[in-house]
Every structure is written in C-alpha cells, then in structure tokens.
Amino acid sequence: QAAADPVSSSDAPEDVPKETSSVSQNISDADAFKILLEMKMKKRQKKPTLPSTVTELDTEDGSKVYVVGTAHFSDSSKKDVVKTIQEVQPDVVVVELCQYRVSMLKMDEKTLLKEAKEINLEKLQQAIKQNGVMSGLMQMLLLKVSAHITEQLGMAPGGEFREAFKEASKVPFCKFHLGDRPIPVTFKRAIAALSFWQKVKLAWGLCFLSDPISKDDVEKCKQKDLLEQMMAEMIGEFPDLHRTIVSERDIYLTYMLKQAAKQIELPRASETEPRKYIPAVVVGVVGMGHVPGIEKNWNSDLNIQEIMSVPPPSASSKIFKFVIKATVFGLMGYGCYRIGQRTVQFILSMPAAQSYLQKLTEIKSQH
C-alpha cells in the first residue's frame, strides 16, 4: 500500500525535485505487484522449519505443496497450521471443506460449540430437504458422532480451518480454496453403495453411540484424528462405504491440491510483454486420515467426473425410504389419535359436560 499510494505535493519537501515526488504517482499496477511480491518472497523461508505433521509434495513444473495433516479436535493442529502458513507464505491455502460447511469459518468458538451440541428436528428437516431422506438422515447421524465428541471434549470442530482462514488473509496475494467434495454428493454415493440391511445396521450403530471419551482419548487427539478413527471403526465392515467417504475424497482432495498448485502468471506492463510464470506454493489443511491417500494419488492422472456423479436410487433405497416415511406418519397418526382420545375423555369427565349430557338424555326420553 505504501508503494501504491500517491504522495501529495503538499507533503513533499520543497528541496525535492518534482520528478522524484511524482514517482509513486506513476507506479504501475505491475510494478506495485512486483514490489509486494518481493516483500513476500523475502519473508518466505527457503528452508522452512515445519511441524512433523507436514508432508511436502512437488509438481512437475516446480510448485510445492505442503499438506498439514490435522486432527479436527486438537489445539496442536491449529498451531501446526499457523506455523506452516507463516513459514512458507503460500500463494494458495486449500482446506478440507466444501460450500455446505463454509459457514464454520466465520463463526466464533462459542457459537460453533452450541451449534455442534444442538441436533434438533429443525436441523433434521433442513438436512432432509437439502439432501433427501436417506442422505439427510445419514448426515444427522454423523453430526451426532461429532456432537458426541464435542460434548465430551468441550471443543468445537474445525478450529484448524478457521486458523488457516485467518492466517491466509494476512499473506499478500494468498487465495483461499475449498478443497472437499460437496457433502450431498458424498452422502448420496455412500447411501447408494449400501444394501438395505447395511443401512439399517449402520443407522442402528450411529443412533446408539454413547461411549464416553477418556482423558487418554483426548491426548490421542493431539496425534490422531479421533473423529475419523471412530468413523473408520464403524465403517470398517462396509468396504463400499469406506470407498465413498474416504478413498474417493482422497482423490478429490488430491485433484484440488494439484489444481491449486498450477504456476502463477505474473502481471504484465503491456499486452506486448511476454507472459511470465513462477512456481506456486500451496498449503493444504486436511484430516490426517487423508494424507496417505493424497500421497498415493499424487503422481496419478486423476479424473473426478466419475466420483462426482450420483447414481439413481436403488430398489432397497426406495423401500427404506417408504418404511421411514410410513413409520413417521404412522407414529404421527397414532399420536394424534391418542391425544384426541384423551382429550374427549377429559372433556366428558368434566361436571359441566356431564350435566349437559344428562339434560340431553332427559329431553330425548321426553320425546
């Protein structure tokens, strides 16, 4: 800003030539960019001191990607993210979030803690409206797992993503990208991969998750992603579910990191000036459970079209959907019946009602 802002003539000393005082006025956008870029490069460490949770990857054109493996409920992960961004001064920061979860970046910890603990009918209706009955129910069940950990630890999830967002805003010319596959696609593909009985079994397991988290588990959070570990244990017996929730997202995250790591074009003073490119520096912030998959897929040619498609609902999905709807409406109908029956009995037991009925009986007998 100091390089780009013009200095007014009244502020310039009298002994300074007019040509010198007007230099800042004539500076081009390209020159201003170069000055700020040089300042950024000086701050960028050539041999950065990085946390042990960081994995360094290279592209064919010389760009560097620093993948920070985090635990979603860990203070040490937040510090790792901050240190990495400060050390490497990236051009792009990519986080394991999609547009459906981006709201958590601007919420404060207290609000997020409250939101994570409260799972109510309104949230369920919204999830079903947004993703469909089956995917909505699965989303709410997974939120229940997250809420269970939140309640036990007293810590809201996603702190490392909020820290990444804050630090990225402090780095000149740093872009912030959402790198995860949209939640509706993931859940719909996951549901389609399960048989009818697998869906019932998974829903049952998630509904009755209530094991307490010990102090040892809290300590494990600092080295391992507890949420992903619990999910891995639950979905371990469903290979197709593991493929859609973990493996396919590994591919998607890898693809997004490689897209972010494309060389950066420098601004030109004129259209005739040849184009110049420099390698990019990228920081990726992902759950540590995804790091091995990203490393595995890094040197592969990736096509995400297949994993972005949503298969049509199977016959078992339609049956399960019908059963859920029938159960809900059946319970609602029975509830209304019971309430109505009790209301009528209560009204009839009132003295005024009994007196009125007696008079009606007398009038009827007279006729």
Side-chain angles (χ1 to χ4, degrees):
Q1 288 178 341
D5 289 341
V7 180
S8 63
S9 57
S10 60
D11 293 334
E14 292 181 2
D15 56 340
V16 177
K18 290 183 180 179
E19 309 89 79
T20 307
S21 63
S22 64
V23 167
S24 59
Q25 291 180 336
N26 296 330
I27 192 169
S28 66
D29 290 341
D31 290 335
F33 180 88
K34 286 177 183 177
I35 292 169
L36 289 172
L37 188 62
E38 285 174 9
M39 290 169 63
K40 177 178 176 176
M41 292 299 185
K42 285 179 182 178
K43 199 173 179 181
R44 180 181 286 172
Q45 300 296 322
K46 290 183 180 178
K47 293 183 178 179
T49 306
L50 299 173
S52 59
T53 53
V54 177
T55 300
E56 186 177 335
L57 300 169
D58 298 303
T59 66
E60 293 178 355
D61 53 22
S63 295
K64 286 192 174 294
V65 178
Y66 300 93
V67 182
V68 188
T70 67
H72 297 317
F73 292 87
S74 171
D75 284 327
S76 55
S77 284
K78 297 180 191 177
K79 293 174 185 175
D80 290 351
V81 169
V82 171
K83 181 173 178 59
T84 303
I85 292 175
Q86 289 176 348
E87 287 279 316
V88 307
Q89 294 290 295
D91 303 300
V92 186
V93 170
V94 181
V95 295
E96 185 200 327
L97 287 176
C98 68
Q99 64 266 36
Y100 293 91
R101 291 184 291 161
V102 74
S103 59
M104 73 159 55
L105 293 175
K106 294 186 178 181
M107 283 186 185
D108 59 87
E109 195 82 7
K110 188 177 178 181
T111 305
L112 271 168
L113 201 58
K114 185 180 176 184
E115 283 284 319
K117 287 181 180 179
E118 292 180 357
I119 298 179
N120 49 39
L121 185 59
E122 186 181 345
K123 284 187 178 179
L124 176 60
Q125 289 174 335
Q126 187 179 356
I128 290 174
K129 184 179 179 182
Q130 193 176 72
N131 305 316
V133 175
M134 284 302 304
S135 299
L137 286 172
M138 187 173 181
Q139 183 178 345
M140 292 308 296
L141 291 172
L142 292 178
L143 280 175
K144 185 179 183 295
V145 178
S146 179
H148 173 61
I149 300 173
T150 298
E151 190 173 0
Q152 295 286 325
L153 300 184
M155 184 187 299
E160 73 274 31
F161 301 137
R162 289 188 290 283
E163 290 298 327
F165 183 65
K166 290 176 191 173
E167 287 302 315
S169 66
K170 299 175 187 177
V171 179
F173 312 115
C174 183
K175 296 177 181 178
F176 191 85
H177 289 184
L178 304 175
D180 201 3
R181 184 172 65 179
I183 280 180
V185 176
T186 297
F187 284 143
K188 285 175 182 176
R189 286 184 63 84
I191 291 298
L194 297 177
S195 68
F196 174 77
W197 292 113
Q198 284 178 325
K199 291 169 190 173
V200 173
K201 193 173 182 180
L202 179 67
W204 182 267
L206 290 170
C207 282
F208 291 94
L209 175 74
S210 58
D211 294 335
I213 297 172
S214 65
K215 290 182 180 179
D216 291 336
D217 290 327
V218 176
E219 289 302 313
K220 286 177 186 176
C221 273
K222 296 175 183 177
Q223 287 114 23
K224 194 163 186 178
D225 191 327
L226 186 60
L227 177 60
E228 291 194 5
Q229 183 184 356
M230 290 176 73
M231 285 305 304
E233 289 173 2
M234 281 187 290
I235 66 178
E237 57 187 295
F238 308 124
D240 291 330
L241 195 61
H242 184 275
R243 173 177 53 80
T244 52
I245 290 182
V246 181
S247 302
E248 288 184 359
R249 287 173 59 227
D250 289 345
I251 294 171
Y252 191 90
L253 287 164
T254 307
Y255 178 85
M256 295 303 287
L257 285 168
K258 292 178 85 168
Q259 289 296 306
K262 288 183 176 180
Q263 287 192 324
I264 300 168
E265 183 182 352
L266 296 175
R268 296 179 293 166
S270 65
E271 292 295 327
T272 56
E273 187 179 334
R275 296 177 185 273
K276 293 181 181 178
Y277 297 87
I278 58 171
V281 172
V282 177
V283 169
V285 182
V286 304
M288 58 180 63
H290 291 290
V291 176
I294 291 171
E295 286 187 274
K296 177 185 174 184
N297 292 301
W298 189 252
N299 294 316
S300 305
D301 292 327
L302 303 174
N303 183 358
I304 62 168
Q305 295 301 318
E306 184 182 344
I307 62 171
M308 287 300 289
S309 62
V310 178
S314 62
S316 64
S317 292
K318 291 177 181 177
I319 293 169
F320 194 68
K321 184 177 178 181
F322 174 78
V323 169
I324 291 291
K325 282 187 174 180
T327 304
V328 171
F329 285 117
L331 288 171
M332 287 175 64
Y334 180 72
C336 291
Y337 166 73
R338 293 292 296 172
I339 290 169
Q341 191 180 42
R342 288 180 181 179
T343 303
V344 171
Q345 288 175 351
F346 174 74
I347 292 171
L348 291 176
S349 66
M350 293 175 67
Q354 288 182 354
S355 176
Y356 182 73
L357 286 171
Q358 190 176 358
K359 287 180 180 179
L360 282 176
T361 306
E362 290 173 358
I363 292 169
K364 190 176 180 181
S365 60
Q366 287 175 3
H367 288 283

